[in-house]
Amino acid sequence: MDAQSRGRAEGADPADQWVLNPQTGDYELRLDGAAPPPPPSVPRQRTPQAPGPRPGGPREREPGPRDRDGDPAPDGPRDTHRRGRRQPKRTGRRKALMWTGGVMGLVLVGGSAFAYYWYDRLYGNIDTVDIGDVGSAAVLGDGPANILVIGNDVRTGKGNEAYGNRDNVTGHADTTLLFHVAGDRSNATVVSIPRDLMTGIPDCETRQSDGSTTTIPGSEGTTRFNESYGVGGRDPGCTMRTVEELTGLDVDHFMMFDFNAVKTLSTAVGGVEVCLEEPLKDTDGGTNLDLPEGKSTIQGEEALSFLRNRHGLKNESDLDRIGMQQKFVASMLRRLKEDTLSSPSKMLAVADAATKSLTVDQGIGSPTKLLTLAKELGKIDLKNITLMTLPVIDNPDEPTPVTVVPDPVKAPQVFSMLQDDVSFTEVKKQQKKARDKQAALLNGPRAEASAVRVDVLNGGGPQGAAGETVAWLQNSEGVSRSANQGNAPAKAARTQLVYAPDQADQARKLADLMGLPAAAMKPTAEAGGDGPMTLTLGPDFKKAGVPVATPKKVDVPQSRADEKMCKG
C-alpha cells in the first residue's frame, strides 16, 4: 500500500477526501481522521538563495520558520515586506479569476479539491525565478497590490513558424499589463503598457544559475519598454523595476506567459466570443485568419492570429491592437465566470494549460499560493474592473514617430490615482482602510517652520522648480533650513516627501505649507537624527504655494470587464 492509499476507505476517491481547513483557508487531505499531511514536496525554485541588497535600499523580509510553500509558519513571525503588510485573513470562498492580454494570459484557479496527482502536476508545470529583493515575499498583504503580467514574445515550439519561430532565445516583454488591486478588493484597474513606449530602464540585480548576483546596467537615456526583459540578461525583476520607476508604484509580483499561452488558454475555456464590424482576413506571414462580420467564437491558432493582427484596424498600430486585445480579455473573463467556474474538470483544464505557460516569482510560486491570490481577486465584480492603455503621445524626438512616450499630463494623473488607490469605477461600498491608514500620516503634532530641515530636488516639475520652492520656503514660510539640491538623479512619477519616524512632526508641517496630499508622505524605517528630509518635486507639482492634489478622475479611454464585445 502506498503512502497516499494508507488509511483510505475502500473505494473512496482521494479527491473527495480533500477538505477545507477553516483556520487556514487551504484544502488538506484527511485520511480517516488522521492529521492532514503536508502537500507533496516538489520544489523547483531556481537558486533559492537569500536576496542580496538592492540599490536604493533593501526591502526587508523578516526571517522565521516557513512551511513547504515558503509562507510563514502559523506560529512564526509575520512577513514584513516593505509596506509592512500582514498576511490576509483567509476564507474558504471558492473563486477563480483569469486575465489574459496580448499573446498571454493570467489564470488563477480556486475551487477544486486537488488530489496529490493534480497538485504534483500543477506544481510541476510552474517555473519560478528568483528576482532577489524586488517584489514581495507575501502572496497578498493588507492594502493595495500590484501584479505585473508580462507577455514573453519568444516564439519557440510547434506551430509558431508562421510568426517567425525563434529558438534558443530569451524573448522580450511584449504587451504588458499592470494589474492594480484596490486595498479593499472592491475594484481593480488594468493598465496596458505599450511595448514601444520609450522609457528609462534602471540598473537591476539578477540571480545567476550558480547563485551569484550580477548587476545588469540600465539604459543610457530612454529605450523601448520591451527591452526591460531579455536584453543583456535582464530578468522579469528588471521589468518590475522599470515599471516601478515609470509609475511610482510598488510592484509585488510578476506572472510571465510565453507565446503559446493564448492558444492553450482560449482552447481550455472552450473558445472566446468576438464581434467584428466588418470581415477580417489576414494570410500574411503564413497565418490563416478569415472571420466574418458579426459574432464568432475563436480558439487556438485562430485566437493567437486574431490578437496579433493589425490589418483592418484604424491605424494598424500597436495601440489599436491593444484596444482589441482588451475586448478579447473581457470576453474571456466573462466566459470563465459564466461557464468554467461551475465545472471542476474545465477549471483543472484551464489551470493545467495556464501553468504550463507560466513563470512567476517565488512569492507566488505554487498552486497553493496562486489559490490564495485567486480567493482575494475573485471578490472583485467584473463591472468594477477597469481596462485602459497608459496615456501616451507620439515620440516628439522622431521625425516620423514610431515609438511613443507617456502623455505629460494624463499619465501622471493615472499614476497618481493608482498611487492613492482611487477607483476608476463607482463602487457603492468601498472600505477605506488602506487610504485611511495613509491619511493618518498627516495626523499629529507639527514642528515650527524654523525647525523643518529639508533638501528639495526637482524630479519632473517645471524648470527651476527646486530653487524657486526653496526661495519661497525661506522667504515666505520661515523654513530657513531648506536647501536646493538641483535635479533628482531620475525623474519621479509624482511629488514625494521622504522622512524618518523622528521627523514626522517636521513632515506634517511641510505638508501643510506645501499642500502635499497624504499619498506624498513616505516614511522610512530608520531614524533621521539631525539630517534633512528629502522633498522631490514631480510632474504633478505646478509652483510653490499651489497645493499638490490627487485627481479624482482622468479623461482617458476606458472600458469595463463586464461590457460585452457582442451586443445583443
Side-chain angles (χ1 to χ4, degrees), residues 17 47 82 92 160 184 258 263 313 415 440 481 485 552:
Q17 299 186 22
T47 62
R82 59 179 168 169
N160 289 325
D184 62 9
D258 64 26
K263 294 190 290 185
L313 303 180
F415 299 153
R481 304 173 79 181
Q485 298 297 334
K552 299 304 178 185

Side-chain angles (χ1 to χ4, degrees), residues 207-509:
R207 296 292 190 188
Q208 306 302 302
S209 58
D210 62 359
S212 63
T213 300
T214 297
T215 298
I216 308 297
S219 62
E220 295 183 5
T222 60
T223 189
R224 277 181 168 86
F225 174 81
N226 70 341
E227 295 185 10
S228 64
Y229 172 74
V231 174
R234 292 177 182 137
D235 65 8
C238 298
T239 306
M240 292 172 67
R241 296 178 196 268
T242 300
V243 172
E244 289 186 334
E245 187 169 284
L246 172 68
T247 65
L249 294 163
D250 295 330
V251 180
D252 299 277
H253 302 292
F254 84 87
M255 293 183 170
M256 183 168 68
F257 290 84
D258 64 26
F259 202 73
N260 292 305
V262 72
K263 294 190 290 185
T264 57
L265 289 171
S266 61
T267 301
V269 300
V272 178
E273 190 177 85
V274 298
C275 278
L276 299 175
E277 296 180 358
E278 57 186 44
L280 176 61
K281 188 171 184 178
D282 180 16
T283 58
D284 289 352
T287 60
N288 185 18
L289 186 63
D290 190 358
L291 299 176
E293 177 184 350
K295 185 184 300 184
S296 297
T297 299
I298 59 176
Q299 62 182 7
E301 291 285 351
E302 196 172 42
L304 178 58
S305 296
F306 176 79
L307 289 176
R308 292 194 57 76
N309 172 71
R310 300 189 190 193
H311 299 295
L313 303 180
K314 183 177 180 181
N315 298 310
E316 296 193 354
S317 70
D318 188 52
L319 296 179
D320 292 331
R321 184 167 62 177
I322 287 174
M324 184 175 66
Q325 292 167 352
Q326 290 174 349
K327 293 179 181 179
F328 179 92
V329 165
S331 184
M332 187 177 277
L333 278 167
R334 287 191 300 275
R335 179 79 173 190
L336 263 176
K337 276 260 188 181
E338 296 169 1
D339 180 65
T340 309
L341 289 180
S342 60
S343 171
S345 62
K346 289 183 180 180
M347 291 175 64
L348 284 174
V350 171
D352 194 34
T355 52
K356 284 179 179 177
S357 304
L358 179 64
T359 302
V360 299
D361 61 277
Q362 294 177 337
I364 52 175
S366 75
T368 303
K369 292 179 179 180
L370 290 176
L371 174 59
T372 300
L373 184 61
K375 287 190 291 186
E376 288 297 306
L377 299 183
K379 298 175 183 178
I380 306 171
D381 194 305
L382 292 181
K383 68 182 180 181
N384 293 328
I385 299 178
T386 302
L387 297 84
M388 68 175 67
T389 302
L390 174 67
V392 296
I393 60 173
D394 288 338
N395 188 349
D397 294 334
E398 296 175 343
T400 303
V402 175
T403 62
V404 294
V405 297
D407 186 303
V409 176
K410 295 181 179 180
Q413 292 176 336
V414 169
F415 299 153
S416 182
M417 290 181 67
L418 295 176
Q419 291 159 358
D420 279 1
D421 201 23
V422 176
S423 174
F424 285 80
T425 64
E426 294 294 332
V427 182
K428 292 182 179 179
K429 289 185 178 181
Q430 187 173 20
Q431 302 172 6
K432 295 182 174 60
K433 182 178 179 180
R435 198 177 304 170
D436 289 346
K437 183 178 180 180
Q438 185 70 24
L441 296 176
L442 294 175
N443 297 332
R446 271 70 172 160
E448 295 294 329
S450 58
V452 173
R453 296 191 61 177
V454 61
D455 286 343
V456 182
L457 298 91
N458 190 355
Q463 185 174 1
E468 293 176 4
T469 298
V470 168
W472 176 79
L473 286 172
Q474 292 178 346
N475 300 327
S476 302
E477 304 301 324
V479 185
S480 58
R481 304 173 79 181
S482 55
N484 174 18
Q485 298 297 334
N487 292 329
K491 186 176 180 180
R494 64 176 301 169
T495 298
Q496 189 172 81
L497 177 61
V498 178
Y499 61 95
D502 54 350
Q503 298 171 326
D505 57 342
Q506 298 181 46
R508 287 188 283 265
K509 180 62 176 181

